Amino acid sequence: MDFSFLFQSISPLTISDLFHQFAPLTITGLALGAIYGLIALGYTMVYGVLQLINFAHSEVFMFGTFAVAWVVVFFHGTSSTSQGLFSTLGLLAICLVAAMLTSAAIALLVERVAYRPLIRKGAPKLIILIAAIGASFSLSEIMGLRDQIVGWFGLKDNLSNYVSQARNVYSSPITIDPHGLFSIGNYRVTDVDLLTIGAAIVMMAFLDQFVRRTRLGRGIRSVAQDPESAALMGVNATRVVQVTFLIGGLMAGAAATLYMIRIGTTRQNAGFIFGVKAFTAAVMGGIGNLRGALLGGLVLGVAENWGAALFGTNWKDVVAFVLLVLILLVRPTGILGESLGKARA
Amino acid sequence: MGTKQTIRSLAAIAAAGLALTACGTTSNSEAKATDTGTAAACVQGQKLAFLGATTGDAGALGLNMVGGIKLALDEYNKKNADCQVGLKVFDSQGDPDKAVPLATQIVGDDSIIGLVGPGFSGESLSTGKTFSAAGLPSISPSATNVTITQQGWPTWHRVIGNDSAQGAAVAKYLKTTANAKKVFVVDDGSDYGKGLAGFVRKGLGSMVGGNDTVQTGQTDFSATVTAIKGSGADAVFYGGYYPEAGLLVKQLRQAGYTGLFMSGDGSEDPAFVETAGAQAANGAVLTAPAGPAPANFNTKYKALIGNPAGLYSTQAYDATNIFLAGIQAGKTSHADLNSFIGSYNGTGVSGPISFDAKGDIKQSTIYAYKVSNGKLDTANPTPIR
């Protein structure tokens, strides 16, 4: 038998396709990038304060996505329906609160259990990094084993809508149908696109002002600049670190809600890809820089879509990471390379 | 000096001897303990092994298979209370590299008489040599890549039609039943997805109106959706599994695409509808080399396992039952059991089963399952002939 057809080249879109499809590729890329950016805020803040890559942040996001789906199942049941964005706004508000609280709680838990004891003992950064990776795997597997965990308490039957087939894809039963509002080029911009991009920009701006203008924000900046001097000036470093994780968790919860509105399904390893992408976005924008995190996310999302259109979807990561290397070659500190500590009030 | 040394070495030998005897005694007594109260024909402590993913990204599929195996064993053990057959699960996480050392463990375990598995095509290709060298008979419920049965492994079997048959059937369905003119073919780059999509592309020939390869675990398909809409294709085929297939059709429908959506057995699971949402999933056609499971199978499965039966549960159940029939017929050596499987001819819950010389299932009808009214109609598929 001739199997050569298995290896025939996959014909991708061409440059003219990229030109014709420029508007849809760019706008959907921006929407995906906005979610990357919101997750990236968590990586960048923790890095700015602790010079630590919080690998467990992807799981903080993943728990948020589950919180959204659970809330929908709790109020709506499991029957699959489609609804518009506006008719579900009330439910989505509850989802947002639940996801932000869940993600923040997980972020604080990780900080308390995995990092604080090591930081207190002055452990080298590498050890803390390993603890971060361990926390990430543990949280992901706990989600994948949740059916057995509730089984220990004899609740498996009562909670079967929430935990059965724990390793399988878990879907929000309400599908949010986007509605086209206006056209840009040949693309109908939808309410979901606007919500995703708008929410990310508003939250980033809010967080940016919080860090620049408030007392707690000044504390965060001072610890990022020089933890020892900050401690001498009476800044409670532990509290600052806690607040940093809390904010990162809240942003991840918001990202999780937007993700569930756009995508609608999650699973125990859903955080992995988004974690890697968000971390990349943080580095691309300049790690430690809040505005850079969102900018990096948007650039990454658009670059991925353009790359996918030019070379085929399986090449999108290659394109995105080549772009990252090119940016770092020209600006080694990222696009807006400026650290959290140097942000001016 | 000389004598002292001799005494020492003698002592050492004696000690070693004692240790050996001790080991021997323990294992004897263990064997005796399990032998007590046995019918003469029964070899106690026999086990089947399962090799596949039960954790990791593809863990859900492996657990579907383990459920099917457990149900078959449970039924057999209830009927043969004096001659139980056990199960040892080896979790490869679906990784061809992790499966290799597990295969060595399986062939080294004398209590294992047969293997249900391997689960996926990749791990089947990486472990086939080990199993065939050891002569351990295996029946895979789910590995459909065409090249596996071309390796000349006499102990390797599968109870599921391979990708070549399914790919041809998909192309036929698209041409004659769906009257498609231009088909956009997407795959997930896996051994299974790429292989199946390749046969669909071959069957369609010049009707292929565009190609893309996505990644497993990907959730945003906006670039692929844009490409499909731009290509003007009136049908889409996706080679891969339901987590991505469901999201792809959902995002296609949300972008206003109205053409036919088709996918293969990797997507033929109720979770496809849950992932896509009822509205977007409606009208999708999913093919599978297996007929509908009898209604009482699903009831029995749910009662024992707790979850509903899923993709590959019926095939795993059938594969296990072939081994159990062999054991009941008194085939206890690997060689006897293997020739029993080779000449097996019966009907399982997934359809009629017998094997050709290469280990492929002989008669495999490909069925088209439709999603309508927000449900995957698993009871009334159309055979593609």
Side-chain angles (χ1 to χ4, degrees):
Chain A
M1 228 174 154
D2 174 27
F3 289 99
S4 60
F5 63 90
L6 286 177
F7 307 106
Q8 76 188 24
S9 71
I10 304 287
S11 65
L13 284 179
T14 58
I15 292 181
S16 81
D17 284 328
L18 174 59
F19 185 72
H20 286 120
Q21 307 293 350
F22 185 78
L25 289 170
T26 307
I27 295 164
T28 51
L30 284 174
L32 183 63
I35 298 178
Y36 290 159
L38 277 179
I39 308 173
L41 289 172
Y43 282 101
T44 227
M45 286 203 50
V46 170
Y47 185 86
V49 171
L50 286 175
Q51 279 78 49
L52 163 75
I53 301 161
N54 177 16
F55 277 111
H57 194 62
S58 51
E59 271 53 56
V60 169
F61 165 75
M62 181 270 292
F63 269 77
T65 62
F66 272 94
V68 173
W70 286 332
V71 168
V72 175
V73 169
F74 182 80
F75 285 105
H76 170 81
T78 53
S79 68
S80 180
T81 56
S82 296
Q83 293 184 14
L85 182 62
F86 285 97
S87 58
T88 44
L89 271 184
L91 181 60
L92 288 176
I94 304 173
C95 289
L96 178 69
V97 173
M100 288 175 90
L101 290 179
T102 306
S103 290
I106 297 291
L108 289 177
L109 181 79
V110 168
E111 189 271 330
R112 184 70 193 82
V113 175
Y115 303 144
R116 200 189 297 173
L118 292 172
I119 293 169
R120 278 237 176 102
K121 290 190 177 141
K125 287 271 145 62
L126 187 65
I127 303 294
I128 304 176
L129 198 70
I130 301 293
I133 294 171
S136 167
F137 275 112
S138 308
L139 287 170
S140 164
E141 287 303 310
I142 284 171
M143 189 50 92
L145 293 166
R146 64 184 188 281
D147 54 343
Q148 297 187 22
I149 294 168
V150 300
W152 297 339
F153 303 100
L155 294 169
K156 203 169 167 179
D157 291 335
N158 302 349
L159 296 176
S160 68
N161 282 345
Y162 304 91
V163 301
S164 78
Q165 293 190 299
R167 304 196 79 84
N168 212 337
V169 186
Y170 191 75
S171 309
S172 157
I174 296 182
T175 302
I176 308 288
D177 262 340
H179 288 287
L181 298 176
F182 55 89
S183 293
I184 295 181
N186 56 346
Y187 182 73
R188 284 292 281 176
V189 178
T190 68
D191 46 5
V192 173
D193 293 331
L194 282 188
L195 174 77
T196 317
I197 300 170
I201 292 172
V202 168
M203 271 186 276
M204 195 280 301
F206 183 78
L207 185 59
D208 192 54
Q209 291 305 308
F210 171 81
V211 170
R212 276 159 204 264
R213 305 220 185 276
T214 64
R215 202 180 138 80
L216 259 174
R218 202 185 315 142
I220 290 174
R221 281 182 289 129
S222 68
V223 175
Q225 242 169 25
D226 187 341
E228 278 159 29
S229 307
L232 289 174
M233 302 296 165
V235 176
N236 182 343
T238 308
R239 196 179 149 81
V240 163
V241 170
Q242 245 177 347
V243 169
T244 309
F245 273 83
L246 176 77
I247 293 172
L250 291 173
M251 293 294 145
T257 311
L258 295 174
Y259 170 89
M260 288 304 281
I261 292 173
R262 279 191 81 79
I263 308 291
T265 70
T266 184
R267 60 197 307 186
Q268 100 277 354
N269 60 358
F272 177 74
I273 288 184
F274 271 75
V276 171
K277 295 289 166 63
F279 176 64
T280 309
V283 174
M284 200 181 262
I287 191 148
N289 185 310
L290 295 179
R291 297 173 186 187
L294 184 62
L295 182 65
L298 295 175
V299 168
L300 184 65
V302 172
E304 275 188 1
N305 261 8
W306 289 355
L310 275 179
F311 304 103
T313 302
N314 44 346
W315 284 87
K316 71 181 166 75
D317 290 351
V318 178
V319 173
F321 283 91
V322 167
L323 180 70
L324 173 70
V325 172
L326 289 179
I327 287 174
L328 292 184
L329 278 176
V330 181
R331 286 187 65 90
T333 48
I335 303 173
L336 299 183
E338 182 192 342
S339 73
L340 191 61
K342 290 186 192 130
R344 276 168 221 93
Chain B
M1 259 305 252
T3 32
K4 246 189 194 168
Q5 252 181 357
T6 324
I7 289 165
R8 252 189 221 159
S9 43
L10 273 177
I13 290 168
L18 273 174
L20 279 175
T21 343
C23 289
T25 345
T26 336
S27 51
N28 273 347
S29 62
E30 265 174 13
K32 265 178 203 148
T34 47
D35 265 341
T36 41
T38 314
C42 179
V43 181
Q44 283 292 342
Q46 296 186 106
K47 287 190 188 77
L48 290 174
F50 168 75
L51 174 64
T54 59
T55 65
D57 296 355
L61 290 174
L63 291 175
N64 288 345
M65 300 177 208
V66 172
I69 300 171
K70 280 187 175 160
L71 178 59
L73 286 176
D74 182 66
E75 289 175 357
Y76 179 86
N77 288 338
K78 271 183 189 149
K79 280 186 216 144
N80 301 279
D82 57 339
C83 192
Q84 307 258 323
V85 178
L87 171 67
K88 267 195 176 174
V89 174
F90 294 84
D91 177 18
S92 66
Q93 302 195 312
D95 183 336
D97 300 326
K98 282 182 191 149
V100 173
L102 296 176
T104 314
Q105 270 184 49
I106 292 171
V107 298
D109 186 334
D110 289 337
S111 70
I112 291 172
I113 49 162
L115 171 76
V116 179
F120 294 135
S121 297
E123 58 196 6
S124 295
L125 287 164
S126 73
T127 58
K129 240 183 205 160
T130 312
F131 290 128
S132 95
L136 184 80
S138 68
I139 306 176
S140 171
S142 51
T144 53
N145 187 291
V146 169
T147 58
I148 306 169
T149 44
Q150 292 166 348
Q151 311 284 333
W153 294 324
T155 52
W156 206 95
H157 309 83
R158 57 178 153 209
V159 289
I160 191 162
N162 68 28
D163 295 338
S164 149
Q166 194 181 164
V170 167
K172 197 171 182 186
Y173 186 94
L174 283 166
K175 275 182 195 165
T176 57
T177 312
N179 280 322
K181 300 281 171 276
K182 197 174 182 188
V183 183
F184 199 103
V185 183
V186 184
D187 67 67
D188 68 352
S190 68
D191 277 350
Y192 158 74
K194 205 174 175 109
L196 177 58
F199 284 102
V200 172
R201 287 184 183 116
K202 186 192 176 198
L204 289 171
S206 60
M207 279 169 62
V208 177
N211 290 293
D212 199 4
T213 297
V214 299
Q215 298 162 322
T216 46
Q218 193 179 330
T219 52
D220 182 286
F221 297 96
S222 45
T224 310
V225 167
T226 307
I228 291 172
K229 282 189 75 184
S231 74
D234 52 3
V236 174
F237 177 79
Y238 179 75
Y241 295 97
Y242 56 82
E244 291 81 27
L247 288 178
L248 177 59
V249 71
K250 175 179 177 178
Q251 291 170 24
L252 274 168
R253 299 294 181 227
Q254 288 185 341
Y257 182 75
T258 51
L260 173 71
F261 184 86
M262 253 188 115
S263 187
D265 57 315
S267 305
E268 198 257 302
D269 188 296
F272 168 81
V273 182
E274 284 168 34
T275 310
Q279 203 178 334
N282 274 343
V285 176
L286 311 170
T287 57
N296 70 338
F297 175 82
N298 290 324
T299 325
K300 284 189 294 184
Y301 187 99
K302 179 110 209 283
L304 182 74
I305 309 298
N307 296 322
L311 182 59
Y312 305 132
S313 292
T314 52
Q315 285 88 348
Y317 176 81
D318 285 346
T320 313
N321 275 332
I322 296 171
F323 278 114
L324 294 173
I327 293 167
Q328 195 136 44
K331 314 291 179 196
T332 49
S333 76
H334 286 169
D336 286 352
L337 201 51
N338 197 41
S339 56
F340 176 88
I341 295 168
S343 58
Y344 180 85
N345 195 343
T347 303
V349 288
S350 63
I353 298 169
S354 58
F355 301 96
D356 67 12
K358 290 187 298 179
D360 266 318
I361 186 165
K362 256 187 204 161
Q363 187 198 340
S364 172
T365 312
I366 312 294
Y367 292 85
Y369 291 81
K370 285 198 184 107
V371 181
S372 54
N373 299 323
K375 277 218 166 68
L376 175 62
D377 186 357
T378 48
N380 309 298
T382 328
I384 306 174
R385 293 214 166 89

